[in-house]
Amino acid sequence: MSEENTTTVIKEFVFVGLTSDPTLQLILFFVILAIYMTTLVENLGMIALIRATPRLQTPMYFFLSSLSFLDICYSSAFAPMALVNFIADKKSISLIGCAMQMYFSISLGSIECFLLAAMAYDRYVAICKPLLYPVLMSPRVCTFLVVGSYVLGLLHSLVHTVFTFRLSFCHSNKINHLYCDITALLSLSCSDIYINELLMFYVAGPVEATTILSVMVSYMYILTNIVRISSSAGRLKAFSTCTSHLTVVTIFHGAILILHFRPTSSNGPAFQDVSDKVLTVFYTIVIPLLNPLIYTVRNKEVKDALAGIQRKMYAKMIK
């Protein structure tokens, strides 16, 4: 590569994408479009159901509606651009657009980490300190936990975005991913990325570790308390209030750990790249689709509220 090319400042990026096959791109377009639209309907429906049902006006469902709103934002930070790139001839994004996409993808993922930890704390208080629940989980405290999750997530993302886009990108403008992933961008930089690597290790790593640890500690106390309940029916009822959240946490953090901490594939870098992209689709689009389904299938109160709304709609239709 000539010196002139290596010193050219890149002002836009081009996504390599998942495949170059036009037929497969069209199929993926319709699949992801269907998933994205279903995600919007499910999560908007969950928010509307919680707001319309008086019995669901509790801290647990306040957090759940916050999670649904977050999942809408999270999938929207990725899906629209991915859909455009599946059918566009030029799969490009401006430098500013790339920075914004990276900022929102990191911030929303971080916010969900903190929010899931706050939901674990809510379940801990509900089961281990039921008499103090109205005080410890007052509307003011719940609002503080949600707002705090957003503040921490936005600040966390701001640090990575600022230090990433202060770099010079001159090796290539082709991002070997479906979106502006931080690791893919760092591989394109001709600047020293030592500080960025430190930030990923000492900032991003602790965010994941501390939120997972807080969830684990909460559930250790919850399980200890459940074991002490004398009746089997009481134990089952106490644990049933946690299964949906525990399932969501396992899927969400499991996807993060597999995506970022799994060993290098023995099938070569090409297979590794494809698997990274597939996992990214699962992490950013499929998980927001699954979350409301998990809470609906496993939660009797949500199913009862949904049945009540359906009965009211049916009654209005036959009048």
Side-chain angles (χ1 to χ4, degrees):
M1 184 177 291
S2 66
E3 183 179 353
E4 181 180 357
N5 289 335
T6 59
T7 57
T8 299
V9 177
I10 292 172
K11 295 184 178 180
E12 72 172 11
F13 295 100
V14 176
F15 296 109
V16 173
L18 188 59
T19 177
S20 58
D21 185 339
T23 303
L24 188 54
Q25 285 184 343
L26 191 61
I27 293 172
L28 289 171
F29 171 82
F30 285 109
V31 169
I32 291 181
L33 178 62
I35 293 174
Y36 179 55
M37 296 304 296
T38 305
T39 298
L40 294 181
V41 171
E42 284 182 351
N43 284 285
L44 287 171
M46 181 66 76
I47 294 171
L49 178 66
I50 291 171
R51 291 180 64 87
T53 309
R55 78 173 80 172
L56 301 184
Q57 305 304 308
T58 64
M60 175 180 173
Y61 295 103
F62 172 72
F63 288 121
L64 180 54
S65 62
S66 300
L67 179 64
S68 291
F69 173 75
L70 188 63
D71 282 339
I72 291 171
C73 297
Y74 197 30
S75 58
S76 297
F78 174 82
M81 179 62 71
L83 290 171
V84 170
N85 288 334
F86 279 129
I87 58 176
D89 292 330
K90 187 179 181 182
K91 309 176 192 305
S92 62
I93 186 171
S94 67
L95 189 69
I96 295 176
C98 189
M100 291 179 62
Q101 188 184 51
M102 191 186 104
Y103 175 73
F104 284 113
S105 63
I106 294 176
S107 62
L108 293 169
S110 302
I111 293 167
E112 187 151 347
C113 287
F114 292 118
L115 185 59
L116 290 174
M119 294 173 74
Y121 173 72
D122 169 69
R123 292 298 82 208
Y124 157 74
V125 176
I127 293 175
C128 300
K129 299 181 182 294
L131 298 179
L132 296 175
Y133 188 74
V135 177
L136 295 177
M137 297 305 298
S138 65
R140 184 176 180 180
V141 172
C142 293
T143 302
F144 173 79
L145 289 172
V146 172
V147 172
S149 298
Y150 273 83
V151 170
L152 291 173
L154 293 172
L155 289 176
H156 173 232
S157 182
L158 182 63
V159 170
H160 289 291
T161 305
V162 168
F163 277 89
T164 298
F165 284 89
R166 71 176 179 81
L167 302 172
S168 297
F169 300 97
C170 50
H171 290 323
S172 172
N173 72 332
K174 292 186 177 181
I175 300 177
N176 189 20
H177 219 295
L178 298 169
Y179 76 113
C180 291
D181 176 67
I182 184 171
T183 54
L185 283 167
L186 292 180
S187 68
L188 302 180
S189 176
C190 51
S191 304
D192 184 3
I193 62 171
Y194 178 69
I195 293 177
N196 302 79
E197 292 173 337
L198 288 179
L199 288 173
M200 292 181 69
F201 186 80
Y202 288 108
V203 179
V207 167
E208 176 70 6
T210 54
T211 51
I212 290 177
L213 183 62
S214 63
V215 171
M216 291 177 63
V217 170
S218 295
Y219 275 100
M220 284 175 60
Y221 280 105
I222 289 171
L223 290 174
T224 301
N225 192 272
I226 289 176
V227 170
R228 295 174 182 172
I229 298 175
S230 56
S231 67
S232 58
R235 288 194 297 269
L236 182 62
K237 182 179 179 180
F239 190 72
S240 65
T241 64
C242 304
T243 53
S244 297
H245 175 257
L246 193 56
T247 302
V248 168
V249 168
T250 302
I251 294 174
F252 179 77
H253 284 291
I256 294 177
L257 294 175
I258 293 172
L259 181 60
H260 295 289
F261 298 103
R262 75 187 192 280
T264 303
S265 173
S266 59
N267 294 320
F271 179 84
Q272 184 85 11
D273 290 340
V274 172
S275 63
D276 283 347
K277 295 168 187 177
V278 171
L279 284 169
T280 297
V281 171
F282 179 80
Y283 175 64
T284 56
I285 294 182
V286 177
I287 288 180
L289 171 74
L290 293 177
N291 285 348
L293 289 176
I294 292 169
Y295 276 100
T296 301
V297 170
R298 291 180 170 270
N299 194 303
K300 186 177 183 299
E301 289 180 319
V302 173
K303 288 191 288 186
D304 290 344
L306 187 59
I309 295 292
Q310 291 173 340
R311 285 194 296 269
K312 289 180 181 178
M313 292 177 62
Y314 179 75
K316 289 181 180 180
M317 290 175 61
I318 62 177
K319 284 184 179 180

